Amino acid sequence: TSLYSIKIMILRNQIAEKIQEYLKHSITPAQLVDWAETSIMTENFENKLCRDIVAQLGISDVKSFGLTFQDCENMLKQLGYEVNLNFKRVA
């Protein structure tokens, strides 16, 4: 018998969810980078834009690249999402 490697397709909504988790501090920068690096090596992508964004997330731990809020906002916009911020007083 032969073993088949099944690759899962990474879709734009999955990338947007990961960026959202990062912005909400549900995952750490290191976890975002690890997800992106693993995805680049093992997954298929919906399109070239998705692959390019995940590649950019994968190098965001390199000091000269980094990842700003504006970077995340731009990536989300390219994926078809809009960022809305909500503030509430806590004290």
Side-chain angles (χ1 to χ4, degrees), residues 60-79:
S60 65
D61 60 339
V62 177
K63 191 172 188 171
S64 60
F65 293 105
L67 186 63
T68 65
F69 177 83
Q70 190 171 27
D71 294 332
C72 292
E73 185 178 30
N74 289 335
M75 286 183 230
L76 288 167
K77 190 176 288 185
Q78 291 175 38
L79 293 168

Side-chain angles (χ1 to χ4, degrees), residues 8-79:
I8 297 171
M9 182 166 295
I10 298 292
L11 304 173
R12 66 181 57 226
N13 67 312
Q14 293 168 302
I15 300 166
E17 287 171 11
K18 280 295 178 187
I19 295 171
Q20 181 180 337
E21 288 174 11
Y22 167 72
L23 290 174
K24 289 183 171 185
H25 303 286
S26 299
I27 61 172
T28 65
Q31 289 171 314
L32 180 64
V33 168
D34 286 346
W35 172 81
E37 288 175 345
T38 301
S39 295
I40 283 292
M41 292 185 294
T42 61
E43 308 296 350
N44 290 319
F45 293 86
E46 180 179 347
N47 54 38
K48 184 180 180 320
L49 172 66
C50 289
R51 182 167 175 53
D52 290 348
I53 289 174
V54 172
Q56 185 177 350
L57 293 172
I59 60 171
S60 65
D61 60 339
V62 177
K63 191 172 188 171
S64 60
F65 293 105
L67 186 63
T68 65
F69 177 83
Q70 190 171 27
D71 294 332
C72 292
E73 185 178 30
N74 289 335
M75 286 183 230
L76 288 167
K77 190 176 288 185
Q78 291 175 38
L79 293 168

Side-chain angles (χ1 to χ4, degrees), residues 73-90:
E73 185 178 30
N74 289 335
M75 286 183 230
L76 288 167
K77 190 176 288 185
Q78 291 175 38
L79 293 168
Y81 291 82
E82 181 179 290
V83 175
N84 291 309
L85 297 176
N86 293 309
F87 297 90
K88 67 179 180 179
R89 187 175 176 166
V90 293

